[in-house]
Amino acid sequence: GMLIVLTAGMNPAARRNPLMPTITINGESKSFPASLSVAELLNQLGKDAKKLAVEVNRELVSRSRHAEAVLK
């Protein structure tokens, strides 16, 4: 398994341009054209949710909440 650590909305660039959220994924900042759910982000990254754990802003997000947990 693998842990994906996401930090959303804490990057100064995200505050400057709320329409392009910046999400830090395992220490690497990426910008996205819109807010995404965890499930949508994993899909865009080509990651299999069954093989990893996701932590958002230091809080573990269970697989059952991936579709509703929105990163802004």
Side-chain angles (χ1 to χ4, degrees):
M2 175 182 171
L3 176 67
I4 290 191
V5 178
L6 305 174
T7 307
M10 296 174 75
N11 187 308
R15 283 197 291 279
R16 281 198 304 276
N17 187 356
L19 300 177
M20 284 281 290
T22 300
I23 300 169
T24 304
I25 304 167
N26 292 347
E28 183 181 343
S29 291
K30 294 184 184 258
S31 289
F32 293 89
S35 294
L36 299 169
S37 70
V38 169
E40 290 167 333
L41 176 65
L42 294 178
N43 188 43
Q44 284 204 12
L45 296 173
K47 301 289 183 187
D48 183 352
K50 294 179 184 128
K51 295 181 180 173
L52 48 86
V54 176
E55 183 183 288
V56 178
N57 295 340
R58 299 186 181 159
E59 182 183 330
L60 198 62
V61 178
S62 65
R63 209 169 285 130
S64 62
R65 292 187 45 236
H66 283 185
E68 67 193 43
V70 176
L71 306 167
K72 330 182 192 187

